[in-house]
Amino acid sequence: MVDLRAKPYYLNDADIAWVQDTIAAMTDEEKVGQLFFQLTSGPKEDHLKELVTKYHLGGIRYNAMPGAMVLEHNRILQNNSKIPVIIACNPEQGGNGVCPDGTFVANPIKIGATRKTEYAQAMGRVSGAQVAATGCNMAFAPVVDITYNWECEEVLARSYGNDPKLVAEMGKAFMDGVHETKGVACAAKHFPGNGQDYRDAHMSNNVNHFGVQKWMETYGHVYKTLIDNGIEAIMGGHIMMPEYMREIKPGIADDDVLPATLCPEIMTGLLRDKLGFNGMVVTDASHMVGMTNRMKRCDMLPLAINAGCDMFLFFNDAEEDFTTMLNAYKSGIISEERMVEALTRILGLKVAMGLTKKAKEDLCPPAEALAGVLQNPEFKAVAPAISKDCLTLVKYKDEGVLPLSPEKTKRVMIVNIKGPSSPMADLAAIAMGAAGARKSPAEKLRDRLIEKGFDAFIYVSPLEKIMAEVKAGKPFDINIYFAGKNSIADFVAEQDLVISFFDVANGHPTFGMSKGGGEIPWYVHELPVVGISVNKPTMLPDAPALRTYINAYDSNDDTMDALVEALVTGPEAFKGQDPIDSFCGMFDTRI
């Protein structure tokens, strides 16, 4: 059932014999161990040795740590593993997905806005080089989900857009870039395709609503493009396909519609038989609720393998999960035929990646070469170029507002509109020592405008004034909130232009509901107003009155530099094309 002479393996007779002989000589424990990818948190030598000697792991994925630590982590694993380990990372945006000191390039949506596949290939090139430099060998990328639902925040920034042709071209280009570094494989995700359900599979169910024909024309086109061009692996998502299943199994009960990772009709019937994928399949993380909420874990583990997934992502408890899978194999729940098929793909891929032909000490590169790859000036030059070409003037109904100039609109009020706080983001900031230490995106914008000669300032809302006075020991004065309105004439006299600045990473913006305040742009017909979003590109539904609206996609320094230059240059400087529908299908966002 596996053709090791064909793509993506291209093995010769000697290589195939090694795969077959190795499988024949393996113990039951060694076979079962190869089915697992495990998540690790750092280079704790005893722990890592146990994973590859007791549990015989086939793959490893690690939490973020500096590149030098990643390299040491990987060296320990490879030196102590009988069979070389696949070591994966998430370079969806560049080398920063390999390690924090890697090179960030762009969110995929940002590259989608440029329409330039050379940027996707450059991001893949950076990713592949930095993957290999740290001793890793697989990119859990490209992300080839399609943004059909603007409320699907799990996908929004991670997708190249809402056009299957664009996503296919960008995904292939990224893969080609990764493959410029020999020995680094790609695992595209998340099959059969996210981007329709607003819910996040980490916390809930996730549904792809397309039937057979529509799926083949969209997601099918994307995956067939990657398969035909040699993608080595595909990550299965915990995504249900009820319409597809009803068409291929008329009368199927709703309760029997399973997420793809547990569904043989999708992972085998569709991916293997219909699309012809011959490579390795790994599940998405098994702690995600989209997978765990359908059955007991002891039933879920072997079902994923029997459905057609070759590798299972992450132990919950190592001893418990390993024993569950081992018992399923020994009892025949996982057949010998299915076990050999999965192992053939896993070991065949390791041969194709060149892992089995290297000495243990050569599986990780020298430490002295790492800094040069992570700090490569050519790699660092990619992001600023993308930042210039991605800026998207989505809505421009008040022609003449751009370009901005101090002569025309000297006094610029920046209304900094935030989203709901994220506990995980706050924890990450604290862990990185960044909490309160860096300038906010609004402050970056203010400072750059001042450098251009504007009198730019950040708006302070009535609610913020109340809090400041209370903290200073003054009595609480609700009149600041309820009676703090200016006349229109006074409001207009205080500034020449307003920038509604959306620094919202997820959820909807929190305007503060200030009566007569400036958070909500009620004054779009009184003053020139420019809306700018530096994260989520879907802010128009929350502020449909905006007549000028720009998407910048992130707030990195090079992006802010490019944004301000475009603002003072004029509409022609905004070269990006909306990669999604930033109007979000709503009538009132266009008026």
Side-chain angles (χ1 to χ4, degrees):
M1 296 178 67
V2 186
D3 186 354
L4 292 179
R5 291 180 176 82
K7 73 166 76 94
Y9 308 103
Y10 301 111
L11 302 191
N12 58 33
D13 289 346
D15 293 333
I16 294 170
W18 181 90
V19 171
Q20 294 171 341
D21 292 346
T22 300
I23 294 172
M26 294 170 83
T27 66
D28 289 351
E29 288 78 8
E30 288 171 337
K31 291 177 181 179
V32 167
Q34 286 295 304
L35 305 181
F36 282 102
F37 252 95
Q38 173 58 344
L39 184 68
T40 62
S41 58
K44 301 169 186 175
E45 189 161 353
D46 290 344
H47 172 64
L48 296 178
K49 285 181 178 179
E50 180 183 56
L51 288 176
V52 293
T53 57
K54 180 179 180 180
Y55 298 111
H56 316 286
L57 287 181
I60 288 282
R61 167 78 177 91
Y62 54 89
N63 278 314
M65 49 189 172
M69 195 177 290
V70 174
L71 183 56
E72 177 59 21
H73 166 280
N74 294 344
R75 198 181 308 281
I76 294 169
L77 286 168
Q78 299 293 24
N79 284 345
N80 290 278
S81 182
K82 182 177 178 180
I83 296 173
V85 184
I86 296 175
I87 306 175
C89 50
N90 280 345
E92 302 172 8
Q93 309 167 335
N96 67 315
V98 180
C99 52
D101 45 337
T103 304
F104 172 81
V105 176
N107 289 322
I109 192 172
K110 191 175 181 180
I111 293 179
T114 71
R115 295 300 197 275
K116 294 185 177 181
T117 54
E118 56 263 39
Y119 286 145
Q121 184 159 350
M123 183 160 74
R125 183 181 306 118
V126 172
S127 298
Q130 296 188 352
V131 165
T134 54
C136 302
N137 47 49
M138 176 173 281
F140 279 167
V143 176
V144 288
D145 295 318
I146 307 173
T147 306
Y148 285 112
N149 184 345
W150 66 273
E151 293 185 289
C152 181
E153 293 182 353
E154 185 185 1
V155 165
L156 189 56
R158 301 168 72 192
S159 166
Y160 291 103
N162 64 359
D163 177 4
K165 183 179 179 183
L166 175 68
V167 172
E169 290 172 349
M170 291 293 184
K172 177 187 177 297
F174 177 92
M175 178 181 71
D176 290 343
V178 170
H179 286 164
E180 291 180 34
T181 299
K182 186 177 180 182
V184 181
C186 287
K189 58 190 182 186
H190 307 85
F191 185 86
N194 201 346
Q196 297 183 31
D197 197 329
Y198 73 90
R199 296 171 296 179
D200 185 336
H202 290 83
M203 297 171 285
S204 182
N205 288 327
N206 192 286
V207 176
N208 182 313
H209 297 282
F210 286 167
V212 173
Q213 182 175 344
K214 185 69 171 177
W215 188 92
M216 288 300 298
E217 293 169 353
T218 54
Y219 295 96
H221 169 72
V222 173
Y223 279 99
K224 194 72 170 69
T225 298
L226 295 177
I227 290 167
D228 288 349
N229 285 279
I231 192 83
E232 295 93 347
I234 286 174
M235 178 179 285
H238 311 311
I239 300 163
M240 292 185 287
M241 297 181 71
E243 296 306 316
Y244 183 94
M245 291 300 296
R246 288 175 188 134
E247 289 184 35
I248 67 168
K249 292 188 73 173
I252 186 173
D254 290 349
D255 286 351
D256 294 332
V257 176
L258 294 172
T261 42
L262 302 175
C263 181
E265 290 84 1
I266 296 175
M267 299 314 299
T268 299
L270 176 55
L271 181 56
R272 299 290 190 200
D273 300 339
K274 200 163 188 176
L275 295 182
F277 182 56
N278 189 41
M280 192 268 285
V281 173
V282 58
T283 72
D284 204 346
S286 63
H287 61 267
M288 295 167 67
V289 177
M291 187 182 203
T292 62
N293 69 352
R294 299 308 301 275
M295 61 189 66
K296 292 181 178 179
R297 190 170 181 86
C298 62
D299 297 324
M300 186 181 84
L301 271 78
L303 182 55
I305 302 302
N306 285 336
C309 300
D310 303 302
M311 299 191 77
F312 189 89
L313 197 59
F314 305 157
F315 290 135
N316 180 56
D317 175 83
E319 186 65 26
E320 185 177 64
D321 282 358
F322 184 84
T323 301
T324 295
M325 199 77 85
L326 181 62
N327 289 339
Y329 174 49
K330 288 183 173 181
S331 67
I333 294 173
I334 298 173
S335 69
E336 184 66 22
E337 180 184 27
R338 177 67 193 110
M339 177 63 79
V340 169
E341 179 190 13
L343 292 172
T344 300
R345 297 187 196 280
I346 297 165
L347 298 185
L349 182 54
K350 292 183 179 186
V351 176
M353 294 163 68
L355 299 179
T356 62
K357 298 182 179 181
K358 293 181 179 179
K360 287 181 182 292
E361 58 269 21
D362 295 330
L363 287 168
C364 292
E368 54 267 25
L370 181 61
V373 180
L374 295 184
Q375 304 304 322
N376 186 324
E378 180 185 345
F379 292 169
K380 289 182 178 294
V382 178
I386 296 170
S387 292
K388 287 182 65 175
D389 287 348
C390 76
L391 298 172
T392 307
L393 183 58
V394 175
K395 186 177 181 181
Y396 192 45
K397 299 200 73 171
D398 286 338
E399 294 189 12
V401 172
L402 301 176
L404 304 186
S405 71
E407 294 75 26
K408 186 171 59 174
T409 53
K410 178 79 169 175
R411 297 165 302 170
V412 178
M413 182 173 79
I414 301 168
V415 181
N416 189 20
I417 303 164
K418 302 284 289 182
S421 64
S422 165
M424 289 302 295
D426 293 343
L427 284 172
I430 293 170
M432 297 298 291
R438 299 177 182 174
K439 286 187 177 181
S440 71
E443 290 170 330
K444 293 180 183 180
L445 177 62
R446 177 201 61 197
D447 293 351
R448 284 164 171 78
L449 288 173
I450 290 172
E451 289 172 4
K452 293 291 185 182
F454 294 90
D455 291 338
F457 62 96
I458 296 174
Y459 166 77
V460 180
S461 74
L463 293 177
E464 290 173 307
K465 291 177 182 177
I466 292 174
M467 293 300 296
E469 294 206 351
V470 170
K471 287 180 180 179
K474 296 181 180 180
F476 176 68
D477 183 5
I478 196 65
N479 285 324
I480 295 175
Y481 179 74
F482 282 108
K485 301 180 188 177
N486 290 342
S487 68
I488 299 297
D490 288 344
F491 184 84
V492 170
E494 290 172 356
Q495 51 267 321
D496 303 313
L497 178 137
V498 177
I499 293 178
S500 292
F501 189 77
F502 295 93
D503 181 15
V504 179
N506 53 69
H508 292 276
T510 52
F511 287 106
M513 298 178 65
S514 179
K515 293 180 181 291
E519 297 100 317
I520 301 170
W522 54 265
Y523 37 77
V524 294
H525 296 291
E526 310 291 348
L527 280 169
V529 182
V530 177
I532 300 172
S533 175
V534 292
N535 286 310
K536 278 185 66 175
T538 52
M539 291 293 98
L540 275 174
D542 293 287
L546 288 170
R547 299 175 64 78
T548 300
Y549 175 76
I550 294 162
N551 277 326
Y553 305 104
D554 68 47
S555 59
N556 294 331
D557 287 343
D558 54 77
T559 304
M560 300 306 292
D561 290 341
L563 172 63
V564 171
E565 286 299 322
L567 288 171
V568 300
T569 301
E572 67 275 12
F574 292 86
K575 301 176 183 178
Q577 301 177 53
D578 193 3
I580 58 170
D581 172 19
S582 292
F583 295 99
C584 303
M586 295 183 175
F587 160 75
D588 60 305
T589 55
R590 296 182 179 274
I591 61 177

